[in-house]
Amino acid sequence: MIKLVVTDMDGTLLHDHATSVNPEYFSVIRELKEKGVQFCVASGRQYSSLQKLFAPVKDDLIYITENGTEIIYKDRKLFSMPMSMEVSRQLVLDTRAVPGAESMYCVGNMAFFEKGDENVYTLMKEEYHFKCTMVDNLLKLDQPCLKFSLYLKENVDEITAQYFTPKWKKTHEVACGGKYFMDVMERGANKGTALYKVQKFLGIRKEETAAFGDNHNDLEMLEGAGFSYAVANARKEVKETAKFLIKSNNEDGELWKLKELLEDFSGVDEKEERAEGICN
């Protein structure tokens, strides 16, 4: 029996370029809660951005934010894994060395950007509704990064593969976060590690967990769930890792699967009612 649903957002639950969640999810999440199923969002997004998206049910969710570097429940921080200041500053310097690359320096509920990096700043502020601050020099910040993102308008995989990704993969978690971002986190900080901590916190087993994803940064999370689903638009590696394939994000594949799960719960309830009638 599933007791925990954990889902990626962009490319999985959300339609491409969507700025809001399909309202049907809110009633499904409420029904899941009535059945004793906890809903958890696992995203590269920050906490405030996720809360805005799930406003009608925001207090009922567990949030894995910044690609697994933070876990928040009822405004209480359950887990946080920042990088060192030395590493945070070196990431800025290495990004500056990549032609056309821009930096996003995430510290939790604020993302910092450097003057000249207007493309990523505008994208995160207007499309993702992040809390954003533009500064003259990221190297002057005195708060370490939770997640650092290198942004490129195109070919982020190929361009960062020349130097940036191989270097940082030796010591840190590196994951492609969508078409434009290469994310770097502290070693051991990923959605899979965060999911394990959520399962432990709730007393829920892997076999009682359903996970949904589409990208590289979802792989560990999918491996940590007994029921793992890749949307049809997922990367090849994700489809190979997940146990089940569902319709794409733009076809609301996850929503339909969750509705099917609710029907399964209803079937269980009916069986229990019939069993009680027989016993009586």
Side-chain angles (χ1 to χ4, degrees), residues 66 68-71 77 79-84 145-147 173 185-190 193 197:
E66 305 288 10
T69 58
E70 274 196 338
I71 303 172
K77 192 180 296 183
F79 171 76
S80 181
M81 190 183 286
M83 293 180 279
S84 68
C145 241
L146 274 168
K147 182 196 73 179
E173 300 286 340
M185 292 76 62
E186 185 63 40
R187 175 71 82 199
N190 56 59
T193 300
K197 291 181 180 297

Side-chain angles (χ1 to χ4, degrees), residues 41-80:
V41 179
S43 174
R45 291 178 181 243
Q46 61 184 204
Y47 181 50
S48 62
S49 172
L50 294 171
Q51 280 205 311
K52 288 175 183 175
L53 286 170
F54 289 96
V57 293
K58 63 184 179 66
D59 295 328
D60 295 328
L61 309 186
I62 291 181
Y63 299 87
I64 295 173
T65 68
E66 305 288 10
N67 262 353
T69 58
E70 274 196 338
I71 303 172
I72 301 173
Y73 182 50
K74 296 187 182 298
D75 287 328
R76 174 186 164 202
K77 192 180 296 183
L78 302 180
F79 171 76
S80 181

Side-chain angles (χ1 to χ4, degrees), residues 132-143:
C132 301
T133 298
M134 185 72 79
V135 297
D136 290 327
N137 188 350
L138 289 174
L139 298 178
K140 299 293 185 181
L141 296 176
D142 59 5
Q143 189 172 355

Side-chain angles (χ1 to χ4, degrees), residues 10 16-19 45-46 49 102-104 111 113 117-132 134 149-154 177-182:
D10 297 285
D16 292 341
H17 307 296
T19 56
R45 291 178 181 243
Q46 61 184 204
S49 172
E102 301 181 14
S103 298
M104 179 167 66
F113 305 83
D117 292 348
E118 275 80 14
N119 291 312
V120 65
Y121 172 82
T122 301
L123 175 69
M124 302 315 292
K125 188 176 182 66
E126 296 183 359
E127 186 168 323
Y128 290 88
H129 303 293
F130 269 38
K131 289 184 177 179
C132 301
M134 185 72 79
S149 297
L150 179 152
Y151 167 88
L152 283 164
K153 287 184 178 180
E154 57 185 5
K179 298 178 181 178
Y180 315 111
F181 297 97
M182 193 59 67

